[in-house]
Coordinates of all heavy atoms in Angstrom, one line a residue:
M1 N -1.6 -39.5 -17.9 CA -2.4 -39.5 -16.7 C -2.0 -38.3 -15.8 O -2.9 -37.6 -15.2 CB -2.2 -40.8 -15.9 CG -2.9 -40.9 -14.6 SD -4.7 -41.0 -14.9 CE -5.3 -41.5 -13.3
N2 N -0.7 -38.0 -15.8 CA -0.2 -36.9 -15.0 C -0.8 -35.5 -15.5 O -1.1 -34.7 -14.8 CB 1.3 -36.9 -15.1 CG 1.9 -35.9 -14.0 OD1 1.2 -35.6 -13.1 ND2 3.1 -35.5 -14.3
V3 N -0.8 -35.4 -16.9 CA -1.4 -34.2 -17.4 C -2.8 -34.0 -17.1 O -3.3 -32.8 -16.8 CB -1.1 -34.1 -19.0 CG1 -1.8 -32.9 -19.6 CG2 0.4 -34.1 -19.3
A4 N -3.6 -35.0 -17.1 CA -5.0 -35.0 -16.9 C -5.2 -34.6 -15.4 O -6.1 -33.8 -15.1 CB -5.7 -36.3 -17.1
M5 N -4.5 -35.1 -14.5 CA -4.6 -34.7 -13.0 C -4.1 -33.3 -12.8 O -4.8 -32.6 -12.0 CB -3.7 -35.6 -12.2 CG -4.1 -37.1 -12.3 SD -5.8 -37.4 -11.8 CE -5.8 -37.1 -10.1
I6 N -3.1 -32.8 -13.5 CA -2.7 -31.4 -13.3 C -3.8 -30.5 -13.9 O -4.1 -29.5 -13.3 CB -1.4 -31.1 -14.1 CG1 -0.3 -31.9 -13.3 CG2 -1.1 -29.7 -14.2 CD1 1.1 -31.9 -14.0
T7 N -4.3 -30.8 -15.1 CA -5.4 -30.0 -15.7 C -6.6 -30.0 -14.8 O -7.2 -28.9 -14.5 CB -5.8 -30.6 -17.0 OG1 -4.7 -30.7 -17.9 CG2 -7.0 -29.9 -17.7
M8 N -7.0 -31.1 -14.3 CA -8.2 -31.2 -13.3 C -8.0 -30.4 -12.0 O -8.8 -29.8 -11.4 CB -8.7 -32.5 -13.1 CG -9.2 -33.2 -14.4 SD -9.5 -34.9 -14.3 CE -10.7 -35.0 -13.0
G9 N -6.7 -30.6 -11.5 CA -6.3 -29.8 -10.3 C -6.3 -28.3 -10.5 O -6.8 -27.6 -9.6
T10 N -5.9 -27.9 -11.6 CA -5.9 -26.5 -11.9 C -7.3 -26.0 -12.0 O -7.6 -24.8 -11.5 CB -5.1 -26.1 -13.2 OG1 -3.8 -26.7 -13.1 CG2 -5.1 -24.7 -13.5
L11 N -8.1 -26.7 -12.7 CA -9.5 -26.3 -12.9 C -10.2 -26.3 -11.5 O -11.0 -25.3 -11.2 CB -10.3 -27.2 -13.8 CG -9.9 -27.0 -15.3 CD1 -10.6 -28.2 -16.1 CD2 -10.4 -25.7 -15.8
L12 N -10.0 -27.3 -10.7 CA -10.6 -27.3 -9.3 C -10.2 -26.2 -8.4 O -10.9 -25.6 -7.8 CB -10.3 -28.7 -8.7 CG -10.9 -29.1 -7.4 CD1 -12.4 -29.2 -7.6 CD2 -10.4 -30.3 -6.8
G13 N -8.8 -26.0 -8.5 CA -8.3 -24.9 -7.7 C -8.8 -23.6 -8.0 O -9.2 -22.7 -7.2
S14 N -8.8 -23.2 -9.4 CA -9.2 -21.9 -9.8 C -10.7 -21.7 -9.5 O -11.2 -20.6 -9.1 CB -8.9 -21.7 -11.3 OG -9.6 -22.6 -12.0
N15 N -11.5 -22.7 -9.8 CA -13.0 -22.6 -9.5 C -13.3 -22.5 -8.0 O -14.2 -21.8 -7.7 CB -13.8 -23.7 -10.2 CG -13.9 -23.4 -11.6 OD1 -14.8 -22.6 -12.0 ND2 -13.2 -24.1 -12.5
L16 N -12.5 -23.3 -7.2 CA -12.8 -23.2 -5.8 C -12.4 -21.8 -5.3 O -13.1 -21.2 -4.5 CB -11.9 -24.2 -5.1 CG -12.1 -24.4 -3.6 CD1 -13.6 -24.8 -3.3 CD2 -11.2 -25.5 -3.0
F17 N -11.3 -21.2 -5.8 CA -10.9 -19.8 -5.4 C -12.0 -18.9 -5.8 O -12.4 -18.0 -5.0 CB -9.6 -19.5 -6.1 CG -9.2 -18.0 -6.0 CD1 -8.7 -17.6 -4.7 CD2 -9.5 -17.1 -7.0 CE1 -8.3 -16.3 -4.6 CE2 -9.1 -15.8 -6.8 CZ -8.6 -15.4 -5.6
G18 N -12.6 -19.0 -7.0 CA -13.6 -18.1 -7.5 C -14.9 -18.3 -6.7 O -15.6 -17.3 -6.3
L19 N -15.2 -19.5 -6.3 CA -16.4 -19.7 -5.3 C -16.2 -19.1 -4.0 O -17.2 -18.4 -3.5 CB -16.6 -21.2 -5.3 CG -17.9 -21.7 -4.5 CD1 -19.1 -21.2 -5.3 CD2 -17.9 -23.2 -4.3
I20 N -15.0 -19.3 -3.4 CA -14.8 -18.7 -2.1 C -14.8 -17.2 -2.2 O -15.3 -16.5 -1.3 CB -13.5 -19.2 -1.5 CG1 -13.6 -20.7 -1.2 CG2 -13.0 -18.5 -0.3 CD1 -12.3 -21.5 -0.9
Y21 N -14.2 -16.7 -3.3 CA -14.1 -15.2 -3.5 C -15.6 -14.6 -3.6 O -15.9 -13.6 -3.0 CB -13.3 -14.9 -4.7 CG -13.4 -13.4 -5.1 CD1 -12.6 -12.5 -4.4 CD2 -14.1 -12.9 -6.2 CE1 -12.7 -11.2 -4.8 CE2 -14.1 -11.6 -6.5 CZ -13.4 -10.7 -5.8 OH -13.4 -9.4 -6.1
S22 N -16.4 -15.3 -4.3 CA -17.8 -14.9 -4.5 C -18.6 -14.9 -3.2 O -19.3 -13.9 -2.9 CB -18.6 -15.8 -5.5 OG -18.0 -15.7 -6.7
I23 N -18.3 -15.9 -2.4 CA -19.0 -15.9 -1.1 C -18.5 -14.9 -0.2 O -19.3 -14.2 0.5 CB -18.8 -17.4 -0.4 CG1 -19.5 -18.4 -1.3 CG2 -19.2 -17.4 1.0 CD1 -19.2 -19.8 -0.8
I24 N -17.2 -14.6 -0.2 CA -16.6 -13.5 0.7 C -17.2 -12.1 0.2 O -17.6 -11.3 1.0 CB -15.1 -13.5 0.6 CG1 -14.6 -14.7 1.3 CG2 -14.5 -12.2 1.2 CD1 -13.1 -14.9 1.2
V25 N -17.3 -11.9 -1.1 CA -17.8 -10.7 -1.6 C -19.3 -10.5 -1.2 O -19.7 -9.4 -0.8 CB -17.6 -10.5 -3.2 CG1 -18.4 -9.4 -3.7 CG2 -16.2 -10.4 -3.4
M26 N -20.0 -11.5 -1.3 CA -21.5 -11.4 -1.0 C -21.8 -11.3 0.5 O -22.6 -10.6 1.0 CB -22.2 -12.6 -1.5 CG -22.4 -12.6 -3.0 SD -23.4 -13.9 -3.7 CE -23.4 -15.1 -2.5
K27 N -21.0 -12.0 1.3 CA -21.2 -12.1 2.8 C -20.6 -11.0 3.6 O -21.1 -10.6 4.6 CB -20.9 -13.5 3.3 CG -21.6 -14.6 2.7 CD -23.1 -14.6 3.2 CE -23.8 -15.9 2.6 NZ -25.2 -15.9 3.0
G28 N -19.4 -10.6 3.2 CA -18.6 -9.7 3.9 C -18.7 -8.3 3.4 O -19.3 -8.0 2.3
D29 N -18.1 -7.4 4.1 CA -18.0 -6.0 3.7 C -16.6 -5.5 3.3 O -16.4 -4.4 3.3 CB -18.6 -5.1 4.9 CG -20.1 -5.3 5.2 OD1 -20.8 -5.6 4.3 OD2 -20.4 -5.1 6.3
F30 N -15.8 -6.5 2.9 CA -14.4 -6.2 2.6 C -14.3 -5.3 1.4 O -13.5 -4.4 1.3 CB -13.7 -7.5 2.3 CG -13.7 -8.4 3.5 CD1 -14.3 -9.7 3.4 CD2 -13.0 -8.1 4.7 CE1 -14.3 -10.5 4.5 CE2 -13.0 -9.0 5.8 CZ -13.6 -10.2 5.6
F31 N -15.2 -5.5 0.4 CA -15.1 -4.8 -0.8 C -16.2 -3.8 -1.1 O -16.5 -3.4 -2.2 CB -15.1 -5.8 -2.0 CG -13.9 -6.7 -1.9 CD1 -14.2 -8.0 -1.6 CD2 -12.7 -6.3 -2.2 CE1 -13.1 -9.0 -1.5 CE2 -11.6 -7.3 -2.1 CZ -11.9 -8.5 -1.8
S32 N -16.9 -3.4 0.0 CA -18.0 -2.4 -0.1 C -17.6 -1.1 -0.7 O -18.5 -0.5 -1.3 CB -18.7 -2.3 1.3 OG -17.8 -1.8 2.2
S33 N -16.4 -0.7 -0.5 CA -16.0 0.6 -1.1 C -15.9 0.6 -2.6 O -15.7 1.6 -3.2 CB -14.7 1.2 -0.4 OG -13.7 0.2 -0.6
Y34 N -15.8 -0.6 -3.2 CA -15.5 -0.7 -4.6 C -16.8 -1.0 -5.4 O -16.8 -1.3 -6.5 CB -14.6 -1.9 -4.9 CG -13.2 -1.6 -4.3 CD1 -12.8 -2.3 -3.1 CD2 -12.4 -0.7 -4.8 CE1 -11.6 -2.1 -2.6 CE2 -11.1 -0.4 -4.2 CZ -10.8 -1.2 -3.1 OH -9.5 -1.0 -2.5
I35 N -18.0 -1.0 -4.7 CA -19.2 -1.3 -5.4 C -19.6 -0.3 -6.3 O -19.6 0.9 -6.1 CB -20.4 -1.5 -4.3 CG1 -20.1 -2.7 -3.4 CG2 -21.8 -1.6 -4.9 CD1 -21.1 -2.9 -2.3
I36 N -19.9 -0.7 -7.6 CA -20.3 0.2 -8.6 C -21.8 0.3 -8.8 O -22.4 1.4 -9.0 CB -19.7 -0.3 -10.0 CG1 -18.2 -0.2 -9.9 CG2 -20.1 0.6 -11.1 CD1 -17.4 -0.8 -11.0
Q37 N -22.6 -0.9 -8.7 CA -24.0 -0.9 -8.9 C -24.7 -0.6 -7.5 O -24.2 -1.1 -6.5 CB -24.4 -2.2 -9.4 CG -23.9 -2.5 -10.8 CD -24.4 -3.9 -11.3 OE1 -25.1 -4.6 -10.5 NE2 -24.1 -4.2 -12.5
D38 N -25.8 0.0 -7.7 CA -26.7 0.2 -6.5 C -27.6 -1.0 -6.3 O -28.2 -1.2 -5.3 CB -27.5 1.4 -6.6 CG -26.7 2.7 -6.6 OD1 -25.6 2.7 -5.9 OD2 -27.0 3.7 -7.2
K39 N -27.8 -1.8 -7.4 CA -28.7 -3.0 -7.3 C -28.2 -4.0 -6.4 O -27.1 -4.4 -6.4 CB -28.8 -3.6 -8.7 CG -29.7 -4.8 -8.8 CD -29.6 -5.3 -10.3 CE -30.3 -6.6 -10.3 NZ -30.1 -7.3 -11.6
S40 N -29.0 -4.5 -5.5 CA -28.7 -5.6 -4.6 C -29.3 -6.8 -5.2 O -30.4 -6.8 -5.8 CB -29.2 -5.3 -3.2 OG -30.6 -5.3 -3.2
Y41 N -28.7 -8.0 -4.9 CA -29.2 -9.2 -5.4 C -30.1 -9.9 -4.4 O -30.0 -9.7 -3.3 CB -28.0 -10.2 -5.7 CG -27.2 -9.7 -6.8 CD1 -26.0 -9.1 -6.6 CD2 -27.6 -9.9 -8.1 CE1 -25.2 -8.6 -7.7 CE2 -26.8 -9.5 -9.2 CZ -25.7 -8.8 -9.0 OH -24.9 -8.4 -10.1
R42 N -31.1 -10.6 -5.0 CA -32.1 -11.3 -4.2 C -31.4 -12.3 -3.3 O -30.5 -13.0 -3.7 CB -33.1 -12.0 -5.1 CG -34.2 -12.6 -4.3 CD -35.3 -13.1 -5.3 NE -34.7 -13.9 -6.4 CZ -34.8 -15.2 -6.6 NH1 -35.5 -15.9 -5.7 NH2 -34.3 -15.7 -7.6
K43 N -31.8 -12.3 -2.0 CA -31.2 -13.2 -1.0 C -31.5 -14.7 -1.4 O -32.6 -15.0 -1.8 CB -31.8 -12.9 0.4 CG -31.0 -13.6 1.4 CD -31.6 -13.2 2.8 CE -30.9 -13.9 3.9 NZ -29.7 -13.3 4.3
G44 N -30.5 -15.5 -1.5 CA -30.7 -16.9 -1.8 C -30.4 -17.2 -3.3 O -30.4 -18.4 -3.6
L45 N -30.2 -16.2 -4.1 CA -30.0 -16.4 -5.5 C -28.8 -17.2 -5.8 O -28.8 -18.1 -6.7 CB -30.1 -15.1 -6.3 CG -30.0 -15.2 -7.8 CD1 -31.2 -15.9 -8.3 CD2 -29.9 -13.8 -8.4
F46 N -27.7 -16.9 -5.1 CA -26.4 -17.6 -5.3 C -26.6 -19.1 -5.0 O -26.2 -19.9 -5.8 CB -25.4 -17.0 -4.3 CG -24.1 -17.6 -4.5 CD1 -23.2 -17.2 -5.5 CD2 -23.6 -18.5 -3.5 CE1 -21.9 -17.8 -5.6 CE2 -22.3 -19.0 -3.6 CZ -21.5 -18.7 -4.7
W47 N -27.2 -19.4 -3.9 CA -27.3 -20.9 -3.5 C -28.4 -21.5 -4.4 O -28.4 -22.8 -4.6 CB -27.6 -21.0 -2.0 CG -26.5 -20.5 -1.2 CD1 -26.6 -19.3 -0.4 CD2 -25.3 -20.9 -1.0 NE1 -25.4 -19.1 0.2 CE2 -24.5 -20.1 -0.2 CE3 -24.5 -22.1 -1.6 CZ2 -23.2 -20.3 0.1 CZ3 -23.2 -22.3 -1.3 CH2 -22.6 -21.4 -0.4
E48 N -29.3 -20.7 -4.9 CA -30.4 -21.3 -5.8 C -29.7 -21.8 -7.1 O -30.1 -22.7 -7.8 CB -31.4 -20.2 -6.0 CG -32.7 -20.6 -6.7 CD -33.7 -19.5 -6.8 OE1 -34.1 -19.0 -5.8 OE2 -34.0 -19.1 -7.9
R49 N -28.7 -21.1 -7.6 CA -28.1 -21.4 -8.8 C -26.9 -22.3 -8.7 O -26.2 -22.7 -9.6 CB -27.6 -20.1 -9.5 CG -28.8 -19.2 -9.9 CD -28.3 -18.0 -10.6 NE -29.4 -17.2 -11.1 CZ -29.3 -15.9 -11.5 NH1 -28.2 -15.4 -11.7 NH2 -30.4 -15.4 -11.9
M50 N -26.5 -22.6 -7.4 CA -25.4 -23.5 -7.2 C -25.5 -24.9 -7.9 O -24.5 -25.4 -8.4 CB -25.2 -23.7 -5.7 CG -24.0 -24.5 -5.4 SD -22.4 -23.8 -6.0 CE -22.4 -22.2 -5.2
P51 N -26.7 -25.6 -7.9 CA -26.8 -26.9 -8.7 C -26.4 -26.8 -10.1 O -25.7 -27.6 -10.7 CB -28.2 -27.3 -8.5 CG -28.7 -26.7 -7.3 CD -28.0 -25.3 -7.3
L52 N -26.8 -25.6 -10.7 CA -26.4 -25.4 -12.2 C -24.8 -25.2 -12.3 O -24.2 -25.8 -13.2 CB -27.1 -24.2 -12.8 CG -26.8 -23.9 -14.2 CD1 -27.2 -25.1 -15.1 CD2 -27.5 -22.6 -14.6
F53 N -24.3 -24.5 -11.4 CA -22.8 -24.3 -11.3 C -22.1 -25.6 -11.2 O -21.1 -25.9 -11.9 CB -22.5 -23.3 -10.2 CG -21.0 -23.3 -10.0 CD1 -20.1 -22.6 -10.8 CD2 -20.5 -24.0 -8.8 CE1 -18.7 -22.7 -10.5 CE2 -19.0 -24.0 -8.6 CZ -18.2 -23.3 -9.4
L54 N -22.6 -26.4 -10.2 CA -21.9 -27.7 -10.0 C -22.1 -28.6 -11.1 O -21.2 -29.3 -11.5 CB -22.5 -28.4 -8.7 CG -22.2 -27.6 -7.4 CD1 -23.0 -28.3 -6.2 CD2 -20.7 -27.6 -7.2
F55 N -23.2 -28.7 -11.8 CA -23.4 -29.5 -13.0 C -22.5 -29.1 -14.1 O -21.8 -29.9 -14.7 CB -24.9 -29.4 -13.5 CG -25.2 -30.1 -14.7 CD1 -25.2 -31.5 -14.8 CD2 -25.4 -29.4 -15.9 CE1 -25.5 -32.1 -15.9 CE2 -25.7 -30.0 -17.1 CZ -25.7 -31.4 -17.1
N56 N -22.3 -27.8 -14.4 CA -21.4 -27.3 -15.4 C -20.0 -27.5 -15.0 O -19.2 -27.9 -15.9 CB -21.6 -25.8 -15.6 CG -22.9 -25.5 -16.3 OD1 -23.5 -26.3 -17.0 ND2 -23.4 -24.2 -16.1
F57 N -19.6 -27.5 -13.8 CA -18.3 -27.7 -13.3 C -17.9 -29.2 -13.5 O -16.9 -29.5 -13.9 CB -18.2 -27.3 -11.9 CG -16.8 -27.4 -11.4 CD1 -15.7 -26.7 -11.9 CD2 -16.5 -28.2 -10.4 CE1 -14.4 -26.8 -11.5 CE2 -15.2 -28.4 -9.8 CZ -14.1 -27.7 -10.5
V58 N -18.9 -30.1 -13.1 CA -18.6 -31.5 -13.3 C -18.4 -31.9 -14.8 O -17.5 -32.7 -15.1 CB -19.7 -32.4 -12.7 CG1 -19.6 -33.8 -13.1 CG2 -19.7 -32.2 -11.2
I59 N -19.2 -31.3 -15.6 CA -19.0 -31.5 -17.1 C -17.7 -31.0 -17.6 O -17.0 -31.7 -18.2 CB -20.2 -30.8 -17.9 CG1 -21.5 -31.6 -17.6 CG2 -19.9 -30.9 -19.4 CD1 -22.7 -31.0 -18.2
L60 N -17.3 -29.8 -17.0 CA -16.0 -29.2 -17.5 C -14.8 -30.1 -17.0 O -13.9 -30.4 -17.8 CB -15.8 -27.8 -16.8 CG -14.5 -27.1 -17.0 CD1 -14.2 -26.8 -18.4 CD2 -14.4 -25.9 -16.1
L61 N -14.9 -30.6 -15.7 CA -13.8 -31.5 -15.2 C -13.8 -32.7 -16.0 O -12.7 -33.3 -16.4 CB -14.1 -31.8 -13.7 CG -13.6 -30.8 -12.7 CD1 -13.9 -31.2 -11.4 CD2 -12.1 -30.5 -12.9
A62 N -14.9 -33.4 -16.3 CA -15.0 -34.7 -17.0 C -14.4 -34.5 -18.4 O -13.6 -35.3 -18.8 CB -16.4 -35.2 -17.0
L63 N -14.9 -33.5 -19.2 CA -14.4 -33.4 -20.6 C -13.0 -32.9 -20.6 O -12.2 -33.5 -21.5 CB -15.4 -32.4 -21.3 CG -16.8 -32.8 -21.5 CD1 -17.6 -31.7 -22.2 CD2 -16.8 -34.1 -22.3
S64 N -12.5 -32.1 -19.8 CA -11.1 -31.7 -19.9 C -10.2 -32.8 -19.3 O -9.1 -32.9 -19.9 CB -11.0 -30.4 -19.0 OG -11.2 -30.6 -17.7
G65 N -10.7 -33.5 -18.4 CA -9.8 -34.6 -17.9 C -9.7 -35.8 -18.9 O -8.6 -36.2 -19.2
V66 N -10.8 -36.1 -19.5 CA -10.8 -37.2 -20.6 C -10.0 -36.7 -21.8 O -9.2 -37.4 -22.3 CB -12.2 -37.6 -20.9 CG1 -12.3 -38.4 -22.1 CG2 -12.9 -38.3 -19.7
G67 N -10.3 -35.4 -22.1 CA -9.5 -34.9 -23.3 C -8.1 -34.8 -23.1 O -7.3 -35.2 -23.9
A68 N -7.6 -34.4 -21.9 CA -6.2 -34.3 -21.6 C -5.6 -35.7 -21.5 O -4.5 -35.9 -21.9 CB -5.9 -33.6 -20.3
Y69 N -6.3 -36.7 -21.0 CA -5.8 -38.0 -20.9 C -5.6 -38.7 -22.3 O -4.6 -39.3 -22.6 CB -6.7 -38.9 -20.0 CG -6.2 -40.3 -19.8 CD1 -5.2 -40.5 -18.9 CD2 -6.8 -41.3 -20.4 CE1 -4.8 -41.9 -18.7 CE2 -6.4 -42.6 -20.2 CZ -5.3 -42.8 -19.4 OH -4.9 -44.1 -19.2
F70 N -6.6 -38.6 -23.1 CA -6.6 -39.3 -24.4 C -6.0 -38.5 -25.5 O -5.4 -39.1 -26.5 CB -8.1 -39.7 -24.8 CG -8.6 -40.8 -24.0 CD1 -9.6 -40.6 -23.1 CD2 -8.1 -42.1 -24.1 CE1 -10.2 -41.6 -22.3 CE2 -8.6 -43.1 -23.3 CZ -9.6 -42.9 -22.4
L71 N -6.0 -37.2 -25.4 CA -5.4 -36.4 -26.5 C -4.1 -35.8 -26.3 O -3.6 -35.0 -27.1 CB -6.4 -35.3 -27.0 CG -7.8 -35.8 -27.3 CD1 -8.7 -34.6 -27.5 CD2 -7.8 -36.6 -28.6
F72 N -3.5 -36.1 -25.1 CA -2.2 -35.5 -24.8 C -1.1 -35.8 -25.8 O -0.3 -35.0 -26.1 CB -1.8 -36.0 -23.4 CG -0.4 -35.6 -23.0 CD1 -0.2 -34.2 -22.6 CD2 0.7 -36.4 -23.0 CE1 1.1 -33.8 -22.3 CE2 2.0 -36.0 -22.6 CZ 2.2 -34.7 -22.3
D73 N -1.1 -37.0 -26.4 CA -0.1 -37.4 -27.3 C -0.2 -36.6 -28.7 O 0.8 -36.6 -29.4 CB -0.1 -38.9 -27.6 CG 0.2 -39.7 -26.3 OD1 0.9 -39.2 -25.6 OD2 -0.3 -40.8 -26.2
L74 N -1.3 -36.0 -28.9 CA -1.5 -35.3 -30.2 C -0.9 -33.9 -30.2 O -0.7 -33.3 -31.3 CB -3.0 -35.2 -30.5 CG -3.7 -36.5 -30.8 CD1 -5.2 -36.2 -31.0 CD2 -3.1 -37.3 -31.9
F75 N -0.7 -33.4 -29.0 CA -0.1 -32.0 -28.9 C 1.4 -32.0 -29.1 O 2.1 -32.9 -28.5 CB -0.5 -31.4 -27.6 CG -2.0 -31.3 -27.3 CD1 -2.6 -32.0 -26.4 CD2 -2.7 -30.3 -28.2 CE1 -4.0 -31.9 -26.3 CE2 -4.0 -30.2 -28.0 CZ -4.7 -31.0 -27.0
S76 N 2.0 -31.0 -29.8 CA 3.4 -30.9 -29.9 C 3.9 -29.9 -28.9 O 3.3 -28.8 -28.7 CB 3.6 -30.3 -31.3 OG 5.0 -30.0 -31.4
F77 N 4.9 -30.3 -28.2 CA 5.5 -29.5 -27.1 C 6.9 -28.9 -27.5 O 7.6 -28.5 -26.6 CB 5.6 -30.3 -25.8 CG 4.2 -30.5 -25.3 CD1 3.5 -31.7 -25.4 CD2 3.5 -29.5 -24.6 CE1 2.3 -31.9 -24.9 CE2 2.2 -29.7 -24.1 CZ 1.6 -30.9 -24.3
E78 N 7.3 -29.0 -28.7 CA 8.6 -28.5 -29.1 C 8.4 -27.0 -29.5 O 7.3 -26.6 -30.1 CB 9.2 -29.3 -30.2 CG 8.3 -29.5 -31.4 CD 8.8 -30.6 -32.3 OE1 9.2 -31.6 -31.9 OE2 8.9 -30.2 -33.5
F79 N 9.4 -26.2 -29.2 CA 9.3 -24.8 -29.6 C 9.5 -24.6 -31.1 O 10.4 -25.0 -31.7 CB 10.4 -24.0 -28.8 CG 10.4 -22.6 -29.0 CD1 9.4 -21.8 -28.4 CD2 11.3 -22.0 -29.8 CE1 9.4 -20.5 -28.6 CE2 11.2 -20.6 -30.1 CZ 10.3 -19.9 -29.4
N80 N 8.5 -24.0 -31.6 CA 8.5 -23.7 -33.1 C 7.9 -22.3 -33.3 O 6.8 -22.1 -33.1 CB 7.7 -24.7 -33.8 CG 7.9 -24.5 -35.4 OD1 8.3 -23.6 -35.9 ND2 7.5 -25.6 -36.1
I81 N 8.8 -21.4 -33.7 CA 8.4 -20.0 -33.7 C 7.4 -19.8 -34.8 O 6.5 -18.9 -34.7 CB 9.7 -19.0 -34.0 CG1 9.3 -17.6 -33.8 CG2 10.3 -19.3 -35.4 CD1 9.0 -17.2 -32.4
G82 N 7.4 -20.6 -35.9 CA 6.4 -20.5 -37.0 C 5.0 -20.8 -36.5 O 4.0 -20.1 -36.8
V83 N 4.9 -21.8 -35.6 CA 3.6 -22.2 -35.0 C 3.1 -21.0 -34.1 O 1.9 -20.7 -34.1 CB 3.6 -23.5 -34.3 CG1 2.4 -23.8 -33.5 CG2 4.0 -24.6 -35.3
I84 N 3.9 -20.5 -33.4 CA 3.6 -19.4 -32.5 C 3.1 -18.3 -33.2 O 2.1 -17.6 -32.8 CB 4.8 -19.0 -31.5 CG1 5.0 -20.2 -30.6 CG2 4.4 -17.8 -30.7 CD1 6.3 -20.1 -29.8
I85 N 3.8 -17.8 -34.2 CA 3.4 -16.7 -35.1 C 2.0 -17.0 -35.8 O 1.2 -16.1 -35.9 CB 4.5 -16.3 -36.1 CG1 5.7 -15.8 -35.4 CG2 3.9 -15.4 -37.2 CD1 6.9 -15.6 -36.3
A86 N 1.8 -18.2 -36.2 CA 0.6 -18.5 -36.9 C -0.6 -18.5 -35.9 O -1.7 -18.1 -36.3 CB 0.7 -19.9 -37.5
Q87 N -0.3 -18.9 -34.7 CA -1.4 -18.8 -33.6 C -1.7 -17.4 -33.3 O -2.9 -17.0 -33.0 CB -0.9 -19.6 -32.4 CG -0.9 -21.1 -32.6 CD -0.4 -21.8 -31.4 OE1 0.1 -21.2 -30.4 NE2 -0.6 -23.1 -31.4
I88 N -0.8 -16.5 -33.3 CA -1.0 -15.1 -32.9 C -1.7 -14.4 -34.1 O -2.6 -13.6 -33.9 CB 0.3 -14.4 -32.6 CG1 0.9 -15.0 -31.3 CG2 0.1 -12.9 -32.5 CD1 2.2 -14.5 -31.0
A89 N -1.4 -14.7 -35.3 CA -2.0 -14.1 -36.5 C -3.3 -14.4 -36.6 O -4.3 -14.3 -36.5 CB -1.2 -14.4 -37.7

């Protein structure tokens, strides 16, 4: 249960950070000197797509939380250099 809560908390925190960052970039002029594109986005497009973002986020939280809760015992947490090399290769 603890791993599932940590996983869901990490996902919630990182996505909340990304959402707040996106709002700051769109509404403020903090990063205007770093703009690469001349194209401006249609007003309201961000909020128009918010239901799709929320739907995808709820699915992500549900699947990762359920997966972490039920599949936690299947993962090996002992250090094995052979497994690490096999994952990198």
Side-chain angles (χ1 to χ4, degrees):
M1 179 72 167
N2 192 22
V3 173
M5 296 303 288
I6 291 172
T7 301
M8 292 172 59
T10 303
L11 288 171
L12 185 65
S14 62
N15 279 284
L16 188 61
F17 173 77
L19 185 65
I20 292 171
Y21 174 77
S22 297
I23 292 171
I24 289 173
V25 167
M26 286 188 335
K27 299 288 182 182
D29 292 332
F30 300 113
F31 302 105
S32 60
S33 61
Y34 300 108
I35 293 177
I36 297 172
Q37 296 181 355
D38 292 332
K39 175 185 171 187
S40 63
Y41 291 100
R42 185 171 46 109
K43 190 173 178 89
L45 184 64
F46 181 78
W47 298 111
E48 191 177 299
R49 293 182 179 169
M50 187 56 62
L52 180 61
F53 167 77
L54 292 176
F55 176 71
N56 288 333
F57 184 63
V58 167
I59 290 174
L60 173 68
L61 277 179
L63 291 178
S64 62
V66 169
Y69 182 77
F70 288 112
L71 301 176
F72 175 73
D73 295 331
L74 298 176
F75 297 111
S76 172
F77 290 101
E78 55 192 48
F79 182 76
N80 187 343
I81 193 70
V83 172
I84 294 173
I85 292 173
Q87 289 176 350
I88 293 173

